[in-house]
Amino acid sequence: MSRWSFAARLFAVAATALLLMMAWQTFPLIQAELLGMRAKPREITPRGDLAADEKSTIALFESRSGSVVFITTVQQSVNPWTGNSQQERSGTGSGFVWDDLGHVVTNYHVIEGATEALVSLTDGRSFRAALVGASPENDLAVLVIGVGVDRPKPLPLGTSADLKVGQKVFAIGNPFGLSSTLTTGIVSALNRNLQVTQDRTLNGLIQTDAAINPGNSGGPLLDSAGRLIGVNTAIYSPSGASAGIGFAVPVDRVNRVVPRLIVSGRYVTPSLGIRTDPKANEALSARLGLSGVFVLDVEQDSAAEKAGLVPARLTRDGGFALGDVVLAVDGQAVESPEDMTRALENKSPGDRVVLRVLRGGKTVEVRVTLDVAR
């Protein structure tokens, strides 16, 4: 091979490499130019009709979200350097319209310690709220706002006595300050107890896996018919964010407490001073074929102890000795602890009630003067 032939080949290889490199560098520009001439928006694929459950969820949110409000609280503080009093935003939460008079229901812990509360509606209007009453033991509070025209509609009321685990539920609120947020889930459990502070335990709560986060507190929990069945009150989470375990105050309790708060500003719970348990009551009733409220324990120095009510006890051989079984309160038959609560809801501490009690196979009447719940 001659020297000139080798040089020609080397030149050809170098030229080819250079052309390939130039083509590689300019290809994106050529491609972009071609696409710019030919690219256009793609055709939209028709979706078809929404699923039935999607339609019902959308309708529920659109018809109920206007009744849910955003609550911002303000707390008075003193500047340690100047001594001047100043107002600081202390928290946010949710609430909902209770009636046509401008009453708004929320959690007690949403407004606890606040000196002022601002209620914002979904249409953008905001109103300064006045505190009507509060029940810390039920974590409920009532505010009132002066809405002159275009008042939001009160939420329709449901019942919590017939709830079943597995029912669909819907929570509307303002988590992390994000207004009008809808989350969905199911009733995960019933009659849950939750210690919220060292001195305060909420009993008989609805547990749900609907996402409930800080800011959802005080908002409504709705059933699939859009009826109020609970007030979202707390979450169980090490991180403070939703972990699929949320709790709500059942609406039957809300419907007992709120009217009292509106009328008198406070709710004093009357008590017999006996301890009961819904699940144990149901099991004992089925096992023994008895309908009533089983007295599992009697609180010390309570109205029940003073009246001589007899609690159940464990025997030396590990057995179970039945105590008193309350059959009726003032002639109103009771078959569960919830029945007894309803029978006492219109009573006040100091009132005397007559209990019909099954004791040792015989029916007796016991008169009890109600005490303040502890």
Side-chain angles (χ1 to χ4, degrees), residues 134-352:
S135 174
E137 63 272 22
N138 293 293
D139 198 20
L140 294 172
V142 178
L143 307 174
V144 67
I145 55 176
V147 184
V149 294
D150 295 329
R151 296 179 179 178
K153 295 180 180 179
L155 288 174
L157 217 61
T159 177
S160 49
D162 57 359
L163 287 178
K164 302 293 183 184
V165 173
Q167 275 187 238
K168 281 187 176 181
V169 291
F170 304 82
I172 303 178
N174 309 287
F176 304 111
L178 301 172
S179 61
S180 298
T181 297
L182 171 70
T183 57
T184 67
I186 61 170
V187 173
S188 302
L190 298 166
N191 296 311
R192 292 298 199 204
N193 299 331
L194 182 68
Q195 186 169 355
V196 291
T197 67
Q198 187 174 358
D199 303 321
R200 192 187 308 163
T201 299
L202 299 176
N203 301 308
L205 301 179
I206 302 167
Q207 181 184 326
T208 176
D209 68 345
I212 295 174
N213 287 291
N216 273 114
S217 293
L221 188 69
L222 308 172
D223 64 11
S224 56
R227 305 180 309 163
L228 179 71
I229 57 170
V231 178
N232 299 317
T233 186
I235 59 173
Y236 180 80
S237 169
S239 67
S242 178
I245 303 177
F247 300 94
V249 180
V251 71
D252 290 351
R253 184 183 310 167
V254 177
N255 204 22
R256 286 195 298 269
V257 174
V258 167
R260 290 281 191 92
L261 295 181
I262 292 174
V263 171
S264 64
R266 65 194 186 109
Y267 179 80
V268 180
T269 307
S271 173
L272 289 171
I274 64 174
R275 291 194 178 97
T276 62
D277 182 85
K279 290 184 178 179
N281 204 88
E282 187 176 350
L284 287 170
S285 182
R287 180 180 175 184
L288 301 175
L290 293 175
S291 293
V293 178
F294 294 82
V295 179
L296 301 181
D297 197 8
V298 172
E299 296 176 2
Q300 188 175 2
D301 296 327
S302 66
E305 185 181 69
K306 294 172 184 175
L309 286 177
V310 180
R313 60 184 177 84
L314 296 176
T315 59
R316 291 183 178 179
D317 59 0
F320 179 82
L322 192 66
D324 285 345
V325 182
V326 181
L327 306 177
V329 178
D330 279 347
Q332 181 179 341
V334 292
E335 298 183 357
S336 67
E338 185 65 26
D339 285 347
M340 178 171 288
T341 301
R342 281 193 288 268
L344 297 175
E345 66 183 352
N346 293 321
K347 308 292 184 182
S348 300
D351 289 349
R352 176 173 289 189

